[in-house]
Amino acid sequence: MNAARILVVEDDRIVARDIQQQLARMGHVVVGTSASGEDAIRLAGRHQPDLVLMDIRLEGEMDGIEAARRIRDTHRIPIVFLTAYANDETVRRASLTEPFGYLLKPFEEPQMRTVIQMALYKHASDAKLRMSERRYATTLASIRDGVILCDGDGRIGFMNRAAETMTGWTAAEAAGLPLATVFVAVDEETQEPLEDFAALALRSGPLAPPERLSRLLPREAPAGTAGAVVPGVVLPGVVVEERCSAVIDDRGQVAGAILVFSDLTQRRQIAEALRRAEADLAHIGRLTMMGELAAAIAHEVNQPLMAVVTNAGTCLQHLSKAKPDLGKTRAVVERIVRDAQRAGDVVRSIHALARRTPADPGWVDMSALIADTLALVRAELRRARIRVETDLIQGPPWVHGDRVQLQQLVLNLVMNAIEAMAAPETDDRRLRITTDAEEDRIRVRVEDSGVGIAEADAETLFRALYTTKPDGLGMGLSISRSIVELHGGRLTAEPAVPRGSVFEFVLPVKPVKPGRE
């Protein structure tokens, strides 16, 4: 048995000395003795003993029962009565102080040992229970959901602060009232009165009734409002989600019910705000896509339109002569028609690219396509004094895809290389394009000797609207990667050695060109 610090309150000095000796033999420590109730209260406050052994008849005006009540109320110290008085009235009054033991004199030492041990054990258990209850009450008070605890008759025994706020009742006002008086709920849709949820839980026992949505009417709602359904008129109050379970005791019997309810007002406001934000984001996404599409069309159509303007100017020069050379003029007009058709093809290609579908799929010879594309920009290559080197495989394999889109891909990479070598300090201006077949894919490599790129920018270059050129739109490489990915391939960039940049794309192929589809 653990040693305890004990206060002895006994008006008989001889009995008090005997009790001290017995306690010492048991291993306990007597922190003080007193013969009066007033002095006992003072000593209990000073020493804070673990236990008080209290006689009922004491010196002075205050008896042991009153002293025990004050010590219990002020200090929560357990009391054990050691007295010779056991009439009904004395026992009744003593019981009101909730003593931890009652031992009649004369008693033997083993009896006192047992009573003290049981009192100390019960006090420790009660302290743990009180701490558990405080934690339980603090936890329930701090949560945002409303919590109401009812007894087996459906009467309220506990409400947390959230429940007080939502119902308009304080816990003190609601204590002992039927749940249906405090928690008045109607169906959210029909506004018809709903059965007391706690009553449902009490009837269901261990099987908790399903959650339900309801409208909790405010306390100040007019009498008879519940059930007074007026078409088109929504009753006051808040929409709540109710969850209710029965409380089962140690014997498996239903001892009560606990109702937990959440105010859905804020949750629904957040959901509506999220829905609006998603709609706004989708709208912005559509606007962004339209902007990128417009920028892509402007970027891709610029080259054929410039060719149309140039050829139109040449055509006017021919026609302004006294004797126009109609043969040359016809050839120039045919180039204008061809470039205009190419502009239209580019627009259709970009539109199809935005829809993530090839506009006119077929089988494409990449080496022949590269040669045709270089022919389109022969004038730009000549003006920039760029030397072109090619190493292209002939014949199969073939790429299945949109010829216009693939030509735009090659044209973007070639024009990008031409612009990279436009700086005056670039002496050796060289463009090298190679193709290489590898089983079920073809690799195309476009290398220039221009200003080059940093390794850190190798991925950033492909972002839409990103550009390092003063007058650039930042769409060419973004479109190029989209075309490659649409055709099931991969486009990468890296610095060249000793200078320049390398753009390489890989596309899936077929070894033999299929028949006409």
Side-chain angles (χ1 to χ4, degrees):
M1 182 175 60
N2 295 330
R5 300 171 64 256
I6 297 176
L7 172 64
V8 177
V9 183
E10 171 63 59
D11 63 343
D12 189 318
R13 289 350 186 232
I14 297 176
V15 174
R17 186 182 65 241
D18 290 341
I19 292 175
Q20 290 184 65
Q21 293 174 352
Q22 292 181 56
L23 292 174
R25 287 195 296 270
M26 296 177 195
H28 298 302
V29 176
V30 177
V31 298
T33 59
S34 174
S36 70
E38 295 83 357
D39 191 43
I41 296 172
R42 181 181 60 81
L43 291 175
R46 179 193 299 175
H47 297 293
Q48 293 293 314
D50 300 319
L51 182 70
V52 175
L53 297 180
M54 178 76 71
D55 192 6
I56 291 180
R57 294 292 177 89
L58 299 174
E59 297 176 356
E61 297 181 358
M62 184 183 299
D63 67 0
I65 295 176
E66 178 61 21
R69 185 188 65 79
R70 296 191 185 185
I71 292 174
R72 181 205 62 183
D73 293 345
T74 306
H75 304 293
R76 306 292 299 183
I77 299 171
I79 306 293
V80 171
F81 288 111
L82 304 180
T83 180
Y85 300 94
N87 59 69
D88 292 344
E89 178 60 20
T90 300
V91 172
R92 186 192 67 79
R93 286 185 59 227
S95 298
L96 296 178
T97 65
E98 300 176 357
F100 283 74
Y102 199 102
L103 196 57
L104 289 175
K105 302 175 185 177
F107 50 80
E108 301 294 330
E109 185 174 317
Q111 293 176 284
M112 186 168 68
R113 181 194 302 272
T114 300
V115 169
I116 290 175
Q117 186 172 355
M118 294 301 296
L120 293 173
Y121 177 80
K122 184 175 183 299
H123 178 66
S125 298
D126 287 355
K128 291 180 181 179
L129 180 60
R130 286 194 301 273
M131 177 59 70
S132 177
E133 289 176 345
R134 281 196 293 270
R135 290 172 181 165
Y136 156 79
T138 302
T139 301
L140 293 182
S142 63
I143 64 176
R144 296 182 178 180
D145 291 344
V147 179
I148 300 179
L149 185 63
C150 301
D151 61 18
D153 296 325
R155 296 184 177 275
I156 295 175
F158 172 85
M159 289 176 64
N160 69 346
R161 284 195 292 268
E164 291 179 327
T165 301
M166 283 189 269
T167 61
W169 292 76
T170 66
E173 292 173 326
L177 294 178
L179 179 63
T181 301
V182 176
F183 192 92
V184 181
V186 298
D187 185 272
E188 182 189 9
E189 299 294 334
T190 66
Q191 303 190 70
E192 296 287 347
L194 294 175
E195 182 182 1
D196 176 1
F197 212 3
L200 285 175
L202 291 172
R203 282 204 315 271
S204 303
L207 299 175
E211 300 175 356
R212 73 182 184 190
L213 296 181
S214 62
R215 182 174 294 278
L216 173 61
L217 301 184
R219 181 179 180 179
E220 61 272 12
T225 297
V229 181
V230 179
V233 178
V234 178
L235 293 176
V238 295
V239 176
V240 295
E241 180 183 60
E242 297 180 62
R243 302 177 299 280
C244 194
S245 299
V247 177
I248 309 300
D249 62 18
D250 293 340
R251 297 174 297 173
Q253 302 298 315
V254 176
I258 183 168
L259 172 65
V260 181
F261 51 100
S262 309
D263 185 349
L264 298 184
T265 304
Q266 185 178 24
R267 190 186 306 176
R268 289 187 170 182
Q269 289 173 346
I270 293 173
E272 177 61 21
L274 180 61
R275 187 195 63 77
R276 290 196 301 267
E278 289 174 344
D280 292 342
L281 187 60
H283 180 62
I284 292 171
R286 288 193 296 271
L287 292 178
T288 302
M289 186 180 70
M290 290 172 60
E292 291 181 357
L293 182 61
I297 292 174
H299 179 277
E300 299 302 317
V301 173
N302 183 63
Q303 200 275 338
L305 287 183
M306 288 300 296
V308 168
V309 172
T310 301
N311 288 321
T314 303
C315 185
L316 288 174
Q317 289 177 1
H318 287 314
L319 293 175
S320 65
K321 293 180 181 181
K323 293 184 178 181
D325 187 335
L326 295 181
K328 290 184 178 180
T329 302
R330 176 182 291 276
V332 173
V333 171
E334 288 175 350
R335 287 201 299 270
I336 292 175
V337 172
R338 184 190 63 205
D339 289 330
Q341 289 175 340
R342 190 155 64 89
D345 290 340
V346 168
V347 172
R348 286 191 295 273
S349 173
I350 295 297
H351 186 255
L353 189 62
R355 291 186 287 110
R356 305 293 296 172
T357 57
D360 186 19
W363 295 96
V364 180
D365 181 345
M366 284 302 301
S367 295
L369 182 141
I370 291 170
D372 293 343
T373 305
L374 289 174
L376 290 175
V377 293
R378 186 180 296 111
E380 285 86 350
L381 291 167
R382 187 182 304 115
R383 279 194 298 268
R385 294 178 283 112
I386 295 174
R387 185 174 78 256
V388 179
E389 300 174 0
T390 60
D391 183 7
L392 308 176
I393 59 175
Q394 300 300 317
W398 308 89
V399 173
H400 189 264
D402 187 308
R403 179 180 178 80
V404 175
Q405 289 180 352
L406 293 174
Q407 189 171 53
Q408 284 303 119
L409 163 65
V410 176
L411 184 61
N412 283 343
L413 296 181
V414 171
M415 293 302 297
N416 193 66
I418 293 173
E419 293 171 359
M421 293 183 283
E425 63 271 15
T426 306
D427 296 327
D428 181 23
R429 299 180 180 181
R430 179 178 55 86
L431 172 64
R432 179 173 174 78
I433 304 179
T434 62
T435 57
D436 178 31
E438 300 178 1
E439 296 181 358
D440 59 348
R441 59 187 176 176
I442 186 170
R443 186 185 306 275
V444 179
R445 183 181 177 92
V446 180
E447 182 177 352
D448 66 70
S449 58
V451 294
I453 59 174
E455 286 191 22
D457 295 334
E459 279 299 313
T460 310
L461 291 170
F462 296 104
R463 282 209 318 250
L465 305 179
Y466 174 83
T467 181
T468 59
K469 304 167 189 174
D471 56 348
L473 291 176
M475 293 302 301
L477 291 177
S478 173
I479 293 171
S480 298
R481 173 167 277 186
S482 296
I483 292 172
V484 172
E485 291 177 349
L486 181 61
H487 287 78
R490 184 182 71 256
L491 172 62
T492 58
E494 63 181 8
V497 179
R499 60 173 296 168
S501 57
V502 176
F503 287 85
E504 182 178 279
F505 63 88
V506 179
L507 296 172
V509 297
K510 288 294 178 88
V512 179
K513 182 178 181 180
R516 186 173 181 178
E517 295 182 336

